[in-house]
C-alpha cells in the first residue's frame, strides 16, 4: 500500500498474505533434486542458481572461477535455457576445479537449496522467494537490463536487511 501510494479506497481492499512458503510444495513429492543432492557427498557447499539460465552465463562463469573457502564445495545449477555450448564450457572449467559440480537442470531445485550453506543467484522472483522461504544467506547479482525488476527486488530486500547484493556490472 505504501510502496504504490494506494488511495484509501484501494488500501481498504488490500489483504496482506506475506510471501508464500515454497517449502509447502514439497509435501509428499519425490524430487529428482533429492537424488542429485545425495550424489554431492557430505561436504557443505554454496549453490549458484541462475534461474532459467538464458542470461546467467556471466554469473556462472564468475562462480566457476571464484575462490571458495577451504572445505566448502560449489554447485552450479545452470537452468534449462542456458545454451548447450555454454553449459559444456562451464562443465569443462568446473572439471579443473576440485569440489565444483555443474548440474544442468532439476525439475525441483528446492531440496538442493535446502542443503546449501548459502546461495548466489541472479534475483529472479522464484529463486528469491525460495531463498527467503528457507532463510538462506544469499548474495544476489541481479541483472538491470533489459528489465530492472531483479535490481529493484534486490535493492528493496537489501534495504530491509534480508539479503545482500552486488550489481551485475560489478
Amino acid at each position: 500500500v505504501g510502496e504504490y501510494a494506494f488511495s484509501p479506497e484501494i488500501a481498504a481492499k488490500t489483504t496482506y498474505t506475506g510471501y508464500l512458503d515454497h517449502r509447502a510444495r514439497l509435501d509428499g513429492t519425490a524430487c529428482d533434486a533429492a537424488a542429485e543432492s545425495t550424489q554431492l557427498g557430505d561436504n557443505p557447499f554454496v549453490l549458484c542458481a541462475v534461474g532459467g539460465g538464458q542470461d546467467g552465463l556471466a554469473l556462472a562463469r564468475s562462480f566457476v572461477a571464484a575462490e571458495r573457502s577451504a572445505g566448502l564445495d560449489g554447485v552450479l545449477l545452470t537452468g534449462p535455457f542456458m545454451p548447450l555450448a555454454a553449459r559444456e564450457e562451464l562443465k569443462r572449467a568446473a572439471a579443473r576445479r576440485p569440489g565444483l559440480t555443474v548440474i544442468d537442470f532439476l525439475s525441483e531445485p528446492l531440496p538442493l537449496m535446502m542443503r546449501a550453506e548459502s546461495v548466489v543467484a541472479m534475483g529472479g522472483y522464484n529463486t528469491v522467494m525460495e531463498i527467503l522461504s528457507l532463510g538462506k544467506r544469499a548474495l544476489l547479482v541481479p541483472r538491470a537490463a533489459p528489465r530492472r525488476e531483479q535490481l529493484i527486488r534486490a535493492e528493496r530486500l537489501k534495504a530491509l536487511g534480508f539479503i545482500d547484493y552486488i550489481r551485475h556490472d560489478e
Side-chain angles (χ1 to χ4, degrees):
V1 169
E3 192 73 24
Y4 290 102
F6 286 167
S7 69
E9 296 81 22
I10 298 296
K13 297 177 183 180
T14 303
T15 301
Y16 290 94
T17 60
Y19 288 108
L20 301 178
D21 187 345
H22 283 249
R23 294 173 297 177
R25 74 175 188 249
L26 295 180
D27 292 344
T29 60
C31 302
D32 59 347
E36 184 71 43
S37 67
T38 59
Q39 295 174 16
L40 296 174
D42 294 329
N43 286 349
F45 63 89
V46 59
L47 172 65
C48 179
V50 295
Q54 64 272 27
D55 57 357
L57 183 56
L59 177 57
R61 282 177 175 151
S62 294
F63 182 78
V64 167
E67 293 298 321
R68 294 181 313 277
S69 299
L72 188 64
D73 288 347
V75 176
L76 170 63
L77 183 57
T78 64
F81 303 117
M82 182 174 282
L84 178 60
R87 290 192 313 252
E88 294 303 320
E89 168 198 330
L90 293 166
K91 287 178 183 178
R92 284 191 303 275
R96 295 187 297 269
R97 306 284 316 271
L100 187 57
T101 302
V102 177
I103 301 171
D104 287 341
F105 171 74
L106 295 173
S107 61
E108 179 50 78
L110 203 55
L112 186 66
M113 190 179 289
M114 289 171 79
R115 281 198 54 206
E117 293 291 313
S118 56
V119 180
V120 176
M122 291 183 60
Y125 178 82
N126 287 328
T127 302
V128 170
M129 293 306 102
E130 290 164 350
I131 289 167
L132 293 174
S133 292
L134 297 173
K136 290 294 177 178
R137 290 180 43 211
L139 174 65
L140 298 185
V141 187
R143 69 165 183 259
R147 294 168 302 283
R148 293 179 40 86
E149 53 94 10
Q150 289 187 4
L151 180 59
I152 292 167
R153 182 176 300 115
E155 289 171 340
R156 294 293 294 140
L157 289 171
K158 180 174 179 148
L160 293 169
F162 292 124
I163 56 93
D164 200 0
Y165 85 94
I166 58 174
R167 294 180 58 95
H168 195 269
D169 56 357
E170 295 174 351

